[in-house]
Amino acid sequence: MLVPKIPVNDQPTGQAIPFGTAVDGHQHVPAACSCQHPAPAPATTTRPTAQLTPGSIALLVGGGTAAVLVVGAVLVSMLLAVAITGASVAVCALVVRSLMNNNR
């Protein structure tokens, strides 16, 4: 339970290679196998590209347009709320000012 665990480095080849840290002071060397393995396939460095069809382009354009319209509506409604609040505060200030001037 209190024995430290050695982390395992997962390589892209799929082989798990442990780090070179030894816990008890000596290294364990794996024995070489006598079997014959097939040659590994050459690694490809290119990634597959995304294929854009006319339908997916139309979907992207429609989604982008919808997002712009939703964000614009939210921003306009926030601006309208600030304008209405400012106007109502200004009207309240005028009413309070006229009430205070009438008392004199």
Side-chain angles (χ1 to χ4, degrees):
M1 182 166 87
L2 298 176
V3 176
K5 304 270 193 233
I6 298 175
V8 176
N9 183 15
D10 294 328
Q11 296 292 321
T13 59
Q15 298 174 345
I17 301 171
F19 290 117
T21 58
V23 176
D24 54 358
H26 64 276
Q27 297 280 342
H28 294 278
V29 179
C33 65
S34 61
C35 57
Q36 294 182 359
H37 297 282
T44 59
T45 57
T46 60
R47 294 180 182 222
T49 57
Q51 299 293 327
L52 293 177
T53 61
S56 64
I57 292 174
L59 184 66
L60 287 174
V61 169
T65 303
V68 166
L69 289 176
V70 167
V71 169
V74 168
L75 291 176
V76 166
S77 64
M78 289 171 56
L79 180 65
L80 186 61
V82 169
I84 290 172
T85 304
S88 65
V89 167
V91 168
C92 289
L94 288 176
V95 169
V96 169
R97 182 178 172 189
S98 68
L99 287 174
M100 292 186 72
N101 283 338
N102 287 340
N103 288 336
R104 292 186 194 169

